[in-house]
């Protein structure tokens, strides 16, 4: 009965839209080119007048410090420290030099903002969306999030004469179905999905997003004598993983050392089969002349990252839905020498101390250069829900985290958090995933985060996380957290998932991404509107927490051989 009512509602809404010619939206040329499915998308959400939408801007004058994300304005009460996830100092180990030399751990306990950055420009954090949520039915938001807005994007970009990256991963809207069990894209495009643990806590589904990431190495890394070789591609992917994680050796798919003519496992012999890979000086196959650089991906490496709504069924199972909030893309355009890295990180530290505004080279449609060898571009929903290229200021939102924070490895996040070895190749799956600790810690990473931060998000305003994992005195329910898998720990209830999806649709319909993308529906309390840089955000004893974004999966699998072995 409910489905029937909803179907009739959808039919009459669409019919009315067609009858009136969708006059409200004809003023937007981008919307005029949309197909029928986008018209249906629009019908599912309340109408917002054109003068109520935030106009797209060609400059970033509204927020010159857009690379400073909303969580940097968290009220810490002197003791709740989420800052360690981004800002770190690591020991200098000459035998295993870390590619990221920013050493910005001191930012955990201080503000190094420009004058512009002292004001919190993320106004969407303070918007009350309660009335909007009341206008959007559960059935409507479920239908909206389950619609595809990816498939039409490549053709639309080509029609517009787009000169940048055109998504070429077929059926990516179908999430896991686009890849085989080993993570290889079924369309033969060379994209490979991997299973990783989401970064605390921005990409936890309980805070509003699901996501997935795939990697693609250049063609020669996938070939032998010009012909595709899955075995060689897997070896090169494994070698990249070994380098990023700086492991002494790692388990791989069974490989023939005699066929490759290389001692893969480092035992001094060429065996017909080995399941271990030790560090190598060069890659395999047609890439055998290319040297492996410490904690750097080879030039030409690509990442595609979809940020999506929180999919949920009638039983409350959380999944990755078809609709994308954003589609992000990175390409490695140059490898950096040790002197390059030293110079660039020195410059970044100087700019932070002087409070200078960030600057990134703009390559137009091709994206923005982060100053560390990568080109970034992205797509985001337009008023109708179709994906469009992000504006200059919208792209700045991504640049800060992928340019100069101390925890990243080669300015990336997900790959270093991949489940190590063959088990980590395949589409992301949080069910059954253990709360693996950071490589320099002992207790589960999520358990540690809940203890350090005092809540299930940087803002400590996720009531479900507080209810599920905290005692009334504010302490963490350690035994319960330790007994749960990652899926149970960081996914929301059906009610919360629907509310977050509805709240984010308000941002989409108002096109107000430059004011923030957090899926909140009540004004934030634990967030500063203005910070005083002379007052440290944390008391001395909470001012620095150590952490490494790489994870120790050895407690749950036999994929990694540690040094003592």
């Amino acid at each position: 009965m409910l489905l029937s009512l909803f179907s009739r509602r959808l039919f009459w809404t669409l019919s009315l839209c067609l009858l009136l010619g969708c006059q409200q939206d004809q003023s937007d040329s981008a919307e005029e080119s949309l197909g029928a499915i986008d018209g249906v998308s629009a019908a599912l959400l309340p109408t917002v007048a054109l003068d109520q939408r935030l106009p797209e801007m060609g400059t970033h004058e509204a927020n010159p410090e857009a690379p400073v994300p909303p969580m940097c304005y968290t009220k810490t009460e002197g003791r709740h420290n989420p800052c360690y996830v981004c800002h770190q100092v690591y020991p200098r180990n000459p035998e295993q030099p870390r590619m990221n030399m920013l050493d910005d751990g001191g930012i955990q306990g201080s503000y190094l903002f420009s004058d512009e950055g002292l004001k919190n420009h993320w106004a969407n954090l303070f918007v009350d969306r309660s009335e909007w949520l009341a206008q959007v039915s559960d059935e409507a938001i479920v239908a909206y999030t389950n619609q595809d807005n990816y498939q039409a994007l490549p053709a639309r970009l080509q029609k517009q004469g787009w000169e940048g990256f055109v998504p070429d991963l077929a059926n990516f809207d179908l999430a896991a179905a686009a890849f085989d069990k080993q993570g290889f894209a079924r369309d033969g495009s060379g994209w490979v999905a991997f299973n990783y643990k989401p970064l605390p806590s921005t990409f936890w589904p309980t805070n509003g997003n699901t996501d997935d990431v795939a990697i693609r190495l250049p063609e020669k890394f996938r070939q032998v004598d010009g012909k595709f070789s899955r075995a060689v591609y897997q070896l090169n992917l494994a070698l990249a993983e070994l380098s990023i994680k700086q492991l002494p050796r790692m388990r791989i798919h069974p490989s023939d050392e005699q066929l490759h003519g290389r001692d893969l496992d480092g035992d001094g012999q060429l065996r017909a089969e080995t399941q271990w890979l030790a560090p190598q000086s060069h890659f395999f196959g047609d890439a055998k002349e290319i040297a492996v650089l410490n904690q750097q991906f080879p030039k030409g490496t690509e990442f595609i990252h979809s940020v999506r709504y929180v999919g949920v069924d009638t039983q409350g199972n959380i999944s990755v839905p078809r609709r994308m909030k954003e589609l992000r893309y990175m390409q490695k355009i140059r490898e950096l020498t040790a002197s390059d890295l030293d110079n660039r990180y020195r410059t970044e530290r100087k700019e932070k101390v002087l409070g200078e505004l960030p600057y990134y080279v703009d390559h137009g449609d091709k994206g923005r250069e982060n100053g560390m060898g990568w080109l970034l571009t992205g797509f985001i929903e337009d008023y109708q829900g179709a994906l469009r290229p992000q504006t200059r200021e919208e792209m700045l939102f991504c640049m800060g985290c992928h340019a100069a924070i101390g925890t990243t490895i080669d300015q990336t996040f997900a790959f270093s958090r991949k489940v190590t070895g063959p088990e980590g190749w395949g589409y992301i799956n949080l069910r059954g995933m253990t709360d693996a600790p950071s490589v320099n810690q002992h207790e589960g990473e999520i358990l540690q985060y809940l203890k350090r931060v005092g809540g299930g998000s940087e803002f400590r305003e996720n009531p479900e996380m507080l209810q599920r994992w905290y005692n009334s005195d504010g302490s963490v329910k350690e035994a319960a957290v330790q007994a749960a898998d990652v899926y149970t720990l960081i996914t929301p209830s059906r009610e919360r998932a629907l509310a977050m999806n509805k709240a984010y649709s308000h941002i989409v319909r108002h096109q107000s991404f430059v004011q923030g993308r957090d899926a909140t529906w009540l004004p934030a309390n634990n967030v500063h509107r203005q910070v005083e840089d002379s007052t440290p955000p944390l008391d001395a004893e909470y001012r620095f927490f150590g952490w490494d974004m790489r994870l120790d999966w050895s407690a749950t699998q036999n994929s990694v051989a540690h040094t003592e072995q």
Side-chain angles (χ1 to χ4, degrees), residues 458-475:
E458 295 90 352
F459 306 134
R460 307 185 308 286
E461 294 187 358
N462 183 327
E464 279 192 358
M465 293 293 283
L466 293 172
Q467 181 179 12
R468 288 178 180 179
W469 308 119
Y470 289 87
N471 296 304
S472 57
D473 63 358
S475 63

Side-chain angles (χ1 to χ4, degrees), residues 208-209 307-309 323-326 379-381 387 504:
N209 298 306
V307 181
R308 310 198 192 199
Y309 290 80
R323 177 169 293 278
M324 299 179 184
K325 293 181 175 181
E326 298 180 52
F379 307 91
I380 202 163
E381 287 182 278
L387 292 172
Y504 188 82

Side-chain angles (χ1 to χ4, degrees), residues 109-160:
S110 63
Y111 294 113
L112 284 180
F113 292 163
S114 67
D115 291 342
E116 286 285 348
L118 296 176
K119 176 184 177 181
N120 184 352
H121 293 271
W122 304 110
N124 273 338
L125 288 170
F126 308 106
V127 174
D128 189 334
R129 300 184 176 87
S130 301
E131 291 186 9
W132 179 270
L133 265 64
Q135 296 178 59
V136 182
S137 70
D138 292 351
E139 296 79 21
I141 198 64
V142 168
Y144 182 78
T145 57
N146 286 333
Q147 288 177 340
D148 160 56
N149 64 343
Y150 170 82
Q151 296 276 13
L153 177 61
R156 188 160 58 249
L157 291 173
Q158 291 169 348
K159 184 178 180 181
Q160 294 171 357

Side-chain angles (χ1 to χ4, degrees), residues 172-173 209-210 212 306-309 320-324:
F172 194 20
D173 59 299
N209 298 306
T210 59
D212 50 20
S306 76
V307 181
R308 310 198 192 199
Y309 290 80
V320 179
R322 296 184 72 183
R323 177 169 293 278
M324 299 179 184

Side-chain angles (χ1 to χ4, degrees), residues 401-462:
C401 293
H402 286 287
I405 61 173
T407 59
T408 57
I409 300 175
D410 204 2
Q411 280 55 57
T412 65
F413 293 89
F415 195 76
S416 62
R417 301 176 58 76
K418 171 188 171 294
V419 175
T420 299
E423 294 84 356
W425 294 109
Y427 194 77
I428 186 170
N429 180 14
L430 305 182
R431 291 186 181 273
M433 181 183 288
T434 301
D435 182 21
S438 168
V439 294
N440 62 358
Q441 305 292 330
H442 299 291
E443 62 184 356
E445 180 189 54
I446 295 174
L447 173 60
Q448 183 183 71
Y449 182 88
L450 297 178
K451 288 182 176 181
R452 290 178 170 182
V453 177
S457 71
E458 295 90 352
F459 306 134
R460 307 185 308 286
E461 294 187 358
N462 183 327

Side-chain angles (χ1 to χ4, degrees), residues 261-472:
R262 297 263 288 273
D263 179 10
L264 303 182
D265 54 20
D267 67 354
Q269 301 182 52
L270 295 182
R271 303 180 184 276
E273 181 178 304
T274 183
Q275 295 187 34
W276 293 94
L277 179 66
Q280 306 281 316
S281 61
H282 290 74
F283 286 96
F284 298 90
D286 290 352
K288 61 181 178 294
E289 302 298 327
I290 299 177
V292 179
L293 298 183
N294 176 56
Q295 290 200 316
Q296 285 196 62
F297 295 96
K299 180 181 178 181
T301 297
E302 301 166 276
F303 284 99
I304 191 168
H305 175 204
S306 76
V307 181
R308 310 198 192 199
Y309 290 80
V310 180
V312 60
D313 64 18
T314 55
Q315 286 75 45
N317 295 304
I318 301 300
S319 62
V320 179
R322 296 184 72 183
R323 177 169 293 278
M324 299 179 184
K325 293 181 175 181
E326 298 180 52
L327 184 66
R328 300 174 178 179
Y329 173 77
M330 293 178 67
Q331 183 181 34
K332 181 92 170 181
I333 58 174
R334 68 175 57 87
E335 295 170 340
L336 302 179
T337 65
S339 59
D340 287 334
L341 291 168
D342 182 63
N343 179 63
R344 295 182 188 214
Y345 280 120
R346 286 177 184 272
T347 300
E348 178 63 27
R349 287 193 291 269
K350 177 182 176 181
E351 290 174 350
K352 285 187 181 296
V353 171
L354 295 178
E356 296 180 357
L357 292 174
Y359 172 78
Y360 307 101
V361 177
D362 192 339
H363 293 266
D365 291 352
K366 297 184 185 301
R368 310 200 79 183
E369 193 172 341
N370 71 349
M372 300 300 294
W374 292 88
L375 202 60
L376 285 73
T377 191
F379 307 91
I380 202 163
E381 287 182 278
D382 68 9
Y383 176 79
Q384 296 275 25
L387 292 172
R388 61 162 175 80
Q390 294 195 32
T391 64
R392 180 181 179 184
E393 184 172 352
E394 288 166 349
M395 275 302 302
L396 279 177
F397 178 82
C398 299
M399 299 304 291
C401 293
H402 286 287
I405 61 173
T407 59
T408 57
I409 300 175
D410 204 2
Q411 280 55 57
T412 65
F413 293 89
F415 195 76
S416 62
R417 301 176 58 76
K418 171 188 171 294
V419 175
T420 299
E423 294 84 356
W425 294 109
Y427 194 77
I428 186 170
N429 180 14
L430 305 182
R431 291 186 181 273
M433 181 183 288
T434 301
D435 182 21
S438 168
V439 294
N440 62 358
Q441 305 292 330
H442 299 291
E443 62 184 356
E445 180 189 54
I446 295 174
L447 173 60
Q448 183 183 71
Y449 182 88
L450 297 178
K451 288 182 176 181
R452 290 178 170 182
V453 177
S457 71
E458 295 90 352
F459 306 134
R460 307 185 308 286
E461 294 187 358
N462 183 327
E464 279 192 358
M465 293 293 283
L466 293 172
Q467 181 179 12
R468 288 178 180 179
W469 308 119
Y470 289 87
N471 296 304
S472 57

